[in-house]
Structures are given as structure tokens and as C-alpha cells.
């Protein structure tokens, strides 16, 4: 079960292997920590990001944190020392895969700096080191995040997309799809991934544009030929033997086992995050966790060939059919007498790889879960395949096998263990991510086998049903809940008698801009109101502009912060807060004040609903339109503002 080399260089190789695993992991973690972002909020991101253990500090340290953190989007002019103490939120935009965050961003939520140029560069470089380290992680998830960063940066070049959040999100959806197309060499699977997992709103025109983007990505991959094989996938397998009727039962069992394995992985990851990653030392020093995980990975993985292989290479070996018998006793193409030995060997690799995947997912390095989950499932499927192969070889005349399994035409004349590995790999990934149609298409594009589309689809269906029964949430739903992201599933139909007025808070003067007396508002007053929003966690909210209690516009908090930061003399500046320039009257009381027009930052027609609007309509507005806030009117007058976070909290409390 364990392979010990008899050469004198064995321990030297072992020491070098462990050292390189640790060194490469540390370099990747160091780069990732450069994307540290501090958000001065007690509400927006309460505890955990994809690393499942984000740090929090006290806002009394905010000034130092802001100085040390260039990625923070909080205004350096803000006097945070004068604001009541609130816990800050610290997260690392290059850590994890980023798929959950991309999904939330597409829903209309703002994660500052998450799709910026700095994140793109650092995550790309750090991903090279993390994948090279040999840790049990994949690059496919981070590809989605990296591709989305490219799409977001490209949007800044065109005013049509830069100034329109709806059109920008369409570009982000297409970019995420191209990331999957490149990762798996599956352009059609990428389109379905965007439709099934990432996109919040997917009109028909976006479907075609996403398809075009995926095809362009696949063509680029073909021309660049990064793998040196002329193929657009790192591994490509072909099955030439058809499956037998009796194997359908085994395929269903594999689907159930894969779904259960994926659901248990989600539970184990949550348990590990809430126990080990809550230890103060680990929480304070994320580099320590990376060193420990890398050290354990190196010490344990070296002795088994299949735990030492890179995840992509391992998945290729597990899913490949056999052309000839293996000369090595640990090869995946054994003779009749070697099947039991390889099953034992694979069992050890399965246990080790499963545990390493659980403890690795969530550390502060760029890491995906797609291929590692497929590898764990592939090991399980290969074991089941060899067990089925053993019985077919030993008892070829058993009535269940029928007359279609001759015993003289080779070990894989009837059962191909590689097919079992690929089916279990897809089923396990389905259990983790809850992708269904997308996975069936990706498996087809990897194998090119029309004959096996039915087994792939059947196993994925069984995996999804089983996983939903054990753990209703996918790994990305878990991350969204643990982060308290204001995400609403647009596939849910709300049934409730509640009205919008049930969750509207009374109007507070610190959260509105009143221009009834004068359209000019002191910049210091605007800064104070802005800080009230920031410290309430509503970084992406806005301040309604009222004239005699009538809503005349709204200025988004990010735009107001940008406008104030660009003022030369904030203390002596009056800001024009109305679009109706005909009503502006010069204020003779303060002739020395600098007057600045803020018209270009004002939304003249913010989305509004009546206070008696049903909750279902409110839900659809937030879910389908991707709104971050909604103004409330009563008898034509302003009655309050509902932020998406408050609405999500209200929905969860009343489930």
C-alpha cells in the first residue's frame, strides 16, 4: 500500500519534495496576503470569506490598516477615530477560487477591489505557485475569477459598459463562462456554467454573446497551444467499448456515492473552518496554516504514487482506458492476480486525498475545488470499477453478466474502470457544486463519447438528489451564507402576505440630504452622512435627496465618496445637489465658499416602490434587476430606503 524506494537517494528525494511543497505554498500565500482588504463595517462581511476564516479587527486600528492596505477602498480622509468602535472586516481577494464572490457580484453586490487589476496580477502569479506546490487544489475555479477580472477591466475602457451596471454584469457573465471554457476545454460547458451557476439575469442576447466569448477563448487556447499537444484540454480520454446493461445499476450506485461524498465534503469543510480555523493563532497568522497544510501534504503524499501526482495528471490516469497490462505492481492496468493489490493501493490514496482536500480548501492561496473533488470521486470510481472488473473476470458466466462478457478478449472486454472513474468524478463534483447539465456536457466534451452521455447524466441526477437530501446547500451557497452576502436566489418564488412597509425603518435625518431650504449642502455635512452609511456596512447604498419630503434624486455612496475625495478644500465647499438649475438661488451669506456641482453623480430617478407593495414584487425587483437598494414612497412622499442586506435579513428571519 505504501511504496518505499530501496535506493540511497530515497530520503533525499523525500526531503526535497517536502521542502518544495512548503516553499512554493509559502510564496503563493505571501502573494495572496498582498491583496488584503479592510472594510470598516460590522454588517457587510461579518465573519468568513472563501477561506472560511477571515480575520476581523477593531476599527480603532483602521487608520494603520488603511495606510498599510492599498487595496482598501475607504477614503483616506475619513476621520474614523471620531466614529464609534465597530469591528472591521478583513478579506483577501486573491484567496480561494472566487466563484462564489463572482456569483454575488453578478447579483448586484459590491466587493471592493475584488475584480481589480491588482487582484488579477497577484492571483495569476500566486496561482502558478499554488498549483506547482502539489497541494490538493485546482486551477479551474480561479480561472473563472481571473477571466471575470479581465472582463471587468475591459469594461472600464468603454463608457457604455463602465457606466451601466446591467451591461457590465452581462460582460462578467460571459467572462466567467470563458474561464470554464479555458479550464476544461469545454466551450459549450462554459456557456451552461454561466447560465446555471454564475449569471443572475441571463437574457437571450447574453446567451449568444457568452457563446461567442467561449468560442473565442477556445480558439485562443487552440492557437496558443499551451499544453504542447495541439489539444485545448490538458487531458482527453476516449472510450471505444460500449457499456453493458448490468452496469447501469453500478452507475446509479456511483452517482449516489458521489453525491453523498460531495455533501459530506461540504459538512467537513464547514466543521474544519468552525473549529481549526477559529484557533486564535491560526486566525491571526494565515501563513502558519498554509505551512502546516503544506508540510502535512508533503509528508503524507510522497509515499503513494497517486497522492503525489498533480490533480490534473491523476484524473487523466484514473479516467484513461488500458491499452496493455501495467509492468508496475501499482499500475492501473493490472492482470487478474493484481486487482486486489491495486484496490488496496487506491483505497489508501482515496483516504489521504479526501482528508487533504478538506484541510486544503480554504487556505490563503488561490485554490479551486473542481478538479480536486473530481479526483477524489475518480479514485472512488476506479476502486468500484476494479471491484466490478474482478467479479467479471472471476465469474464470467454469472447470469447477471449475460453472454456479452467473454473472458478471453482482455481485462477490459466488458468493464472499463476508467469509465467508472469519470462517472464518479462527475458525480462527486455535482455533490460539491450542484451543477447538473453543465457537468454532463463537460464530461462529454472531455471524452467525446456519445455512448456514455446517458451514464454520465444518470449518475449526475442521482448525485444531485442524494446531495440535496444530505446537505441542501452547495459549497458556494455555504460560502455565501457564512459571509452573510446579500444574495437572493432568482429561482425562488416568494409566497408571503407581508408588505414592503413591514421592513421600512423610520426616516432619519442623518441618512437623507434635505435641499428644501437651499440646494447647496456643505461638503462636511455630506462627509458625515457618508460615514454613517459606511459604518453601518452599507458601502454600496446611497443618500436620498429630498425637497419638501418629495424624492428628487439619490446619490450613490461610492460616487459621493469619489466626489468628496476630489475636492480641494472640503471644509469650505458647498455642493450643488439638484438637477433643477432653474431653482438655484445664489447664497449671499457665504460668498467665500467654493461651489461645486455634483449633478453628474446624482441618479435623478432611483427605483421606488409604494409602501404597500407585496413582498413578492420587492423580491423580484432585488433578484431580477440586481438592485442594491430600493426607495419607498407613501402617498407620493419619501418614506424610507430598504437596503438589500436588510431585505435578505428580513427574509431569513421569516423563513
Amino acid at each position: 500500500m505504501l511504496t518505499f524506494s530501496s535506493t540511497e537517494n530515497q530520503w533525499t528525494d523525500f526531503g526535497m519534495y517536502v521542502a518544495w511543497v512548503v516553499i512554493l505554498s509559502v510564496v503563493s500565500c505571501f502573494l495572496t496576503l498582498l491583496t488584503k482588504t479592510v472594510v470598516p463595517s460590522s454588517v457587510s462581511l461579518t465573519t468568513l470569506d472563501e477561506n472560511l476564516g477571515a480575520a476581523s479587527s477593531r476599527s480603532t486600528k483602521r487608520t494603520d490598516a488603511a495606510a498599510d492596505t492599498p487595496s482598501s477602498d475607504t477614503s483616506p480622509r475619513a476621520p474614523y477615530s471620531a466614529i464609534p468602535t465597530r469591528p472591521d472586516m478583513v478579506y483577501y481577494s486573491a484567496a480561494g477560487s472566487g466563484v462564489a464572490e463572482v456569483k454575488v457580484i453578478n447579483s448586484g453586490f459590491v466587493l471592493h477591489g475584488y475584480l481589480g487589476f491588482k487582484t488579477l496580477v497577484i492571483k495569476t502569479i500566486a496561482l502558478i505557485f499554488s498549483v506547482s506546490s502539489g497541494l490538493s487544489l485546482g486551477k479551474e475555479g480561479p480561472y473563472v475569477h481571473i477571466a471575470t477580472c479581465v472582463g471587468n477591466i475591459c469594461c472600464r475602457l468603454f463608457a457604455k459598459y463602465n457606466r451601466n451596471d446591467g451591461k457590465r454584469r452581462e460582460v462578467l457573465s460571459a467572462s466567467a463562462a470563458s474561464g470554464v471554457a479555458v479550464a476544461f476545454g469545454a466551450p459549450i460547458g462554459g456557456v451552461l456554467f454561466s447560465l446555471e451557476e454564475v449569471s443572475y439575469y441571463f437574457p437571450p442576447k447574453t446567451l449568444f454573446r457568452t457563446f461567442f466569448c467561449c468560442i473565442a477563448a477556445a480558439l485562443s487556447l487552440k492557437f496558443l497551444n499551451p499544453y504542447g499537444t495541439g489539444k485545448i484540454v490538458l487531458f482527453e480520454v476516449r472510450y471505444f467499448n460500449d457499456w453493458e446493461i448490468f452496469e447501469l445499476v453500478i452507475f446509479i450506485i456511483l452517482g449516489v456515492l458521489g453525491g453523498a461524498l460531495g455533501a459530506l465534503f461540504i459538512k467537513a469543510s464547514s466543521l474544519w473552518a468552525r473549529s481549526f480555523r477559529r484557533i486564535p493563532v491560526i486566525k491571526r497568522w494565515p501563513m502558519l496554516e498554509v505551512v502546516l497544510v503544506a508540510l502535512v501534504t508533503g509528508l503524507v503524499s510522497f509515499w503513494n504514487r497517486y497522492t503525489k501526482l498533480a490533480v490534473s495528471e491523476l484524473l487523466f490516469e484514473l479516467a484513461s482506458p488500458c491499452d496493455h497490462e501495467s509492468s508496475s505492481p501499482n499500475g492501473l492496468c493490472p492482470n487478474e492476480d493484481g486487482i486486489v493489490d491495486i484496490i488496496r493501493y487506491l483505497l489508501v490514496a482515496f483516504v489521504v486525498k479526501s482528508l487533504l482536500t478538506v484541510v486544503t480548501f480554504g487556505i490563503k492561496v488561490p485554490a479551486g475545488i473542481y478538479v480536486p473533488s473530481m479526483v477524489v470521486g475518480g479514485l472512488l470510481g476506479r476502486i468500484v470499477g476494479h471491484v466490478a472488473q474482478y467479479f467479471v473476470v472471476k465469474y464470467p458466466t454469472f447470469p447477471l453478466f449475460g453472454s456479452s462478457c467473454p473472458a478471453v478478449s482482455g481485462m477490459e472486454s466488458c468493464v472499463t474502470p476508467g469509465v467508472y472513474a469519470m462517472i464518479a468524478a462527475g458525480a462527486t463534483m455535482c455533490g460539491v457544486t450542484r451543477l447538473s447539465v453543465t457537468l454532463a456536457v463537460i464530461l462529454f466534451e472531455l471524452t467525446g463519447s456519445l455512448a456514455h452521455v446517458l451514464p454520465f447524466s444518470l449518475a449526475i441526477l442521482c448525485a444531485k438528489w442524494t446531495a440535496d437530501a444530505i446537505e441542501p446547500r452547495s459549497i458556494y451557497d455555504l460560502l455565501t451564507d457564512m459571509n452573510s452576502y446579500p444574495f437572493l436566489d432568482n429561482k425562488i418564488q416568494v409566497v408571503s402576505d407581508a408588505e414592503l412597509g413591514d421592513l421600512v425603518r423610520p426616516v432619519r435625518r442623518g441618512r437623507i440630504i434635505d435641499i428644501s431650504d437651499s440646494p447647496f449642502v456643505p461638503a462636511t455635512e455630506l462627509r458625515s452622512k457618508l460615514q454613517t452609511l459606511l459604518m453601518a456596512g452599507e458601502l454600496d447604498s446611497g443618500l436620498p435627496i429630498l425637497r419638501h419630503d418629495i424624492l428628487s434624486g439619490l446619490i450613490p455612496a461610492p460616487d459621493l465618496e469619489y466626489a468628496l475625495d476630489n475636492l480641494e478644500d472640503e471644509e469650505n465647499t458647498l455642493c450643488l445637489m439638484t438637477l433643477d438649475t432653474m431653482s438655484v438661488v445664489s447664497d449671499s451669506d457665504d460668498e467665500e465658499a467654493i461651489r461645486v456641482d455634483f449633478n453628474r453623480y446624482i441618479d435623478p430617478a432611483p427605483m421606488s416602490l409604494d409602501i404597500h407593495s407585496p413582498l413578492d414584487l420587492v423580491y423580484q425587483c432585488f433578484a431580477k434587476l440586481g438592485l442594491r437598494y430600493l426607495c419607498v414612497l407613501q402617498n407620493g412622499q419619501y418614506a424610507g430606503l430598504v437596503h438589500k442586506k436588510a431585505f435578505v435579513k428580513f427574509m431569513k428571519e421569516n423563513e
Side-chain angles (χ1 to χ4, degrees):
M1 289 185 288
L2 296 177
T3 302
F4 294 92
S5 173
S6 58
T7 64
E8 59 182 10
N9 294 328
Q10 171 197 2
W11 293 105
T12 302
D13 294 341
F14 173 63
M16 290 298 295
Y17 176 79
V18 174
W20 276 114
V21 171
V22 174
I23 291 172
L24 292 173
S25 301
V26 167
V27 172
S28 179
C29 180
F30 174 78
L31 292 172
T32 302
L33 295 181
L34 295 178
T35 61
K36 178 180 178 181
T37 304
V38 181
V39 181
S41 167
S42 61
V43 179
S44 58
L45 305 173
T46 50
T47 25
L48 304 171
D49 57 347
E50 178 154 326
N51 52 59
L52 300 177
S56 63
S57 59
R58 305 302 295 175
S59 66
T60 53
K61 302 177 182 179
R62 176 66 190 102
T63 304
D64 296 335
D68 297 335
T69 311
S71 58
S72 175
D73 287 291
T74 306
S75 170
R77 301 187 186 184
Y80 287 102
S81 58
I83 300 176
T85 301
R86 299 263 190 172
D88 292 346
M89 175 61 202
V90 180
Y91 67 92
Y92 302 87
S93 55
S97 69
V99 176
E101 284 74 13
V102 169
K103 185 177 179 180
V104 173
I105 289 172
N106 266 336
S107 73
F109 186 51
V110 173
L111 280 174
H112 294 273
Y114 212 86
L115 300 180
F117 181 76
K118 178 181 178 181
T119 300
L120 170 64
V121 173
I122 292 180
K123 186 156 190 171
T124 302
I125 299 174
L127 180 62
I128 297 173
F129 287 98
S130 64
V131 172
S132 303
S133 67
L135 295 176
S136 185
L137 49 82
K139 61 182 181 297
E140 289 71 22
Y143 273 8
V144 175
H145 185 193
I146 291 172
T148 310
C149 288
V150 173
N152 182 62
I153 293 170
C154 290
C155 284
R156 299 175 184 174
L157 304 177
F158 305 94
K160 176 182 178 181
Y161 297 98
N162 190 34
R163 298 177 182 175
N164 190 316
D165 284 344
K167 290 189 177 296
R168 183 192 293 114
R169 287 198 286 269
E170 291 182 14
V171 174
L172 298 185
S173 297
S175 302
S178 67
V180 172
V182 170
F184 290 100
I188 301 176
V191 175
L192 293 175
F193 171 81
S194 179
L195 176 62
E196 188 174 357
E197 180 69 21
V198 175
S199 296
Y200 210 61
Y201 178 60
F202 208 81
K205 63 177 181 179
T206 304
L207 176 64
F208 176 77
R209 293 170 180 174
T210 303
F211 180 60
F212 173 81
C213 188
C214 290
I215 294 299
L219 286 175
S220 301
L221 199 63
K222 179 72 173 180
F223 294 145
L224 293 174
N225 192 22
Y227 307 124
T229 60
K231 305 290 185 181
I232 63 174
V233 291
L234 181 58
F235 61 90
E236 187 176 25
V237 294
R238 290 289 182 263
Y239 302 122
F240 302 103
N241 297 331
D242 204 350
W243 50 278
E244 305 294 337
I245 295 297
F246 76 89
E247 291 183 289
L248 276 180
V249 178
I250 306 178
F251 296 154
I252 293 174
I253 294 174
L254 282 177
V256 172
L257 292 177
L261 194 62
L264 292 177
F265 169 81
I266 296 173
K267 290 183 176 294
S269 298
S270 177
L271 180 63
W272 180 257
R274 297 181 186 280
S275 55
F276 180 77
R277 291 198 177 108
R278 292 292 179 86
I279 298 175
V281 176
I282 298 298
K283 195 171 183 179
R284 184 177 181 183
W285 304 102
M287 181 73 78
L288 177 60
E289 182 188 8
V290 173
V291 172
L292 292 176
V293 171
L295 188 62
V296 171
T297 300
L299 293 174
V300 175
S301 299
F302 181 81
W303 308 106
N304 188 293
R305 177 176 181 272
Y306 298 114
T307 56
K308 187 166 62 173
L309 278 177
V311 287
S312 297
E313 296 177 15
L314 177 55
L315 183 59
F316 173 66
E317 284 204 21
L318 293 172
S320 297
C322 294
D323 296 328
H324 56 274
E325 291 185 3
S326 303
S327 57
S328 170
N330 301 325
L332 291 176
C333 300
N335 55 28
E336 181 178 342
D337 297 330
I339 294 180
V340 175
D341 292 335
I342 191 60
I343 289 175
R344 293 173 181 170
Y345 197 80
L346 287 174
L347 273 173
V348 174
F350 169 72
V351 173
V352 171
K353 207 69 178 176
S354 300
L355 295 177
L356 288 179
T357 303
V358 171
V359 300
T360 303
F361 179 72
I363 61 176
K364 301 294 193 303
V365 297
I369 192 58
Y370 290 154
V371 172
S373 65
M374 294 180 74
V375 163
V376 173
L379 288 167
L380 175 64
R382 193 80 191 196
I383 293 170
V384 174
H386 282 302
V387 170
Q389 187 183 50
Y390 178 82
F391 280 102
V392 169
V393 171
K394 286 292 185 181
Y395 311 101
T397 59
F398 189 71
L400 181 63
F401 303 145
S403 58
S404 58
C405 294
V408 294
S409 58
M411 291 292 293
E412 292 194 357
S413 60
C414 186
V415 173
T416 304
V419 174
Y420 290 66
M422 184 63 82
I423 289 175
T428 306
M429 183 175 168
C430 174
V432 173
T433 64
R434 305 303 156 85
L435 295 172
S436 54
V437 182
T438 301
L439 263 178
V441 173
I442 288 177
L443 294 179
F444 165 67
E445 292 187 271
L446 287 177
T447 61
S449 177
L450 278 171
H452 291 86
V453 170
L454 181 59
F456 292 156
S457 304
L458 182 63
I460 288 171
L461 282 175
C462 295
K464 184 168 176 57
W465 289 332
T466 304
D468 286 340
I470 298 175
E471 171 58 63
R473 300 173 297 178
S474 71
I475 188 65
Y476 300 124
D477 293 334
L478 173 69
L479 296 172
T480 301
D481 291 343
M482 296 179 78
N483 280 297
S484 298
Y485 290 144
F487 181 79
L488 297 172
D489 192 345
N490 59 352
K491 303 179 183 67
I492 294 178
Q493 187 71 27
V494 177
V495 179
S496 174
D497 296 331
E499 295 181 347
L500 181 56
D502 296 336
L503 56 113
V504 176
R505 295 180 295 181
V507 178
R508 287 180 285 179
R509 309 305 299 179
R511 287 177 173 264
I512 63 171
I513 300 174
D514 193 348
I515 59 172
S516 301
D517 298 328
S518 172
F520 290 99
V521 181
T524 52
E525 180 182 337
L526 293 178
R527 176 69 73 178
S528 175
K529 294 177 184 293
L530 175 65
Q531 289 175 5
T532 301
L533 292 182
L534 295 181
M535 296 314 298
E538 299 179 5
L539 307 182
D540 54 349
S541 185
L543 291 172
I545 302 172
L546 308 184
R547 177 182 278 121
H548 304 297
D549 294 331
I550 303 298
L551 181 65
S552 61
L554 182 143
I555 183 166
D559 293 347
L560 177 59
E561 183 175 16
Y562 174 80
L564 293 175
D565 288 346
N566 285 307
L567 294 178
E568 295 181 357
D569 186 3
E570 187 174 308
E571 297 294 331
N572 299 310
T573 300
L574 296 177
C575 306
L576 179 61
M577 303 299 295
T578 180
L579 296 176
D580 185 11
T581 56
M582 300 296 294
S583 62
V584 176
V585 179
S586 178
D587 190 351
S588 59
D589 294 338
D590 193 359
E591 295 294 342
E592 297 181 358
I594 303 172
R595 288 173 170 77
V596 179
D597 190 353
F598 274 19
N599 285 351
R600 59 185 175 183
Y601 304 112
I602 297 175
D603 179 5
M607 286 294 299
S608 307
L609 286 179
D610 188 79
I611 196 170
H612 299 295
S613 299
L615 208 61
D616 177 58
L617 176 60
V618 181
Y619 189 98
Q620 295 301 323
C621 286
F622 278 118
K624 297 294 177 64
L625 300 180
L627 301 179
R628 297 168 190 146
Y629 43 78
L630 193 63
C631 295
V632 184
L633 304 179
Q634 184 176 19
N635 299 324
Q637 295 185 332
Y638 178 78
L641 183 141
V642 176
H643 194 275
K644 190 174 185 179
K645 293 172 189 171
F647 182 73
V648 172
K649 181 180 180 181
F650 179 84
M651 293 299 298
K652 289 185 177 181
E653 291 175 351
N654 291 274
E655 285 181 350

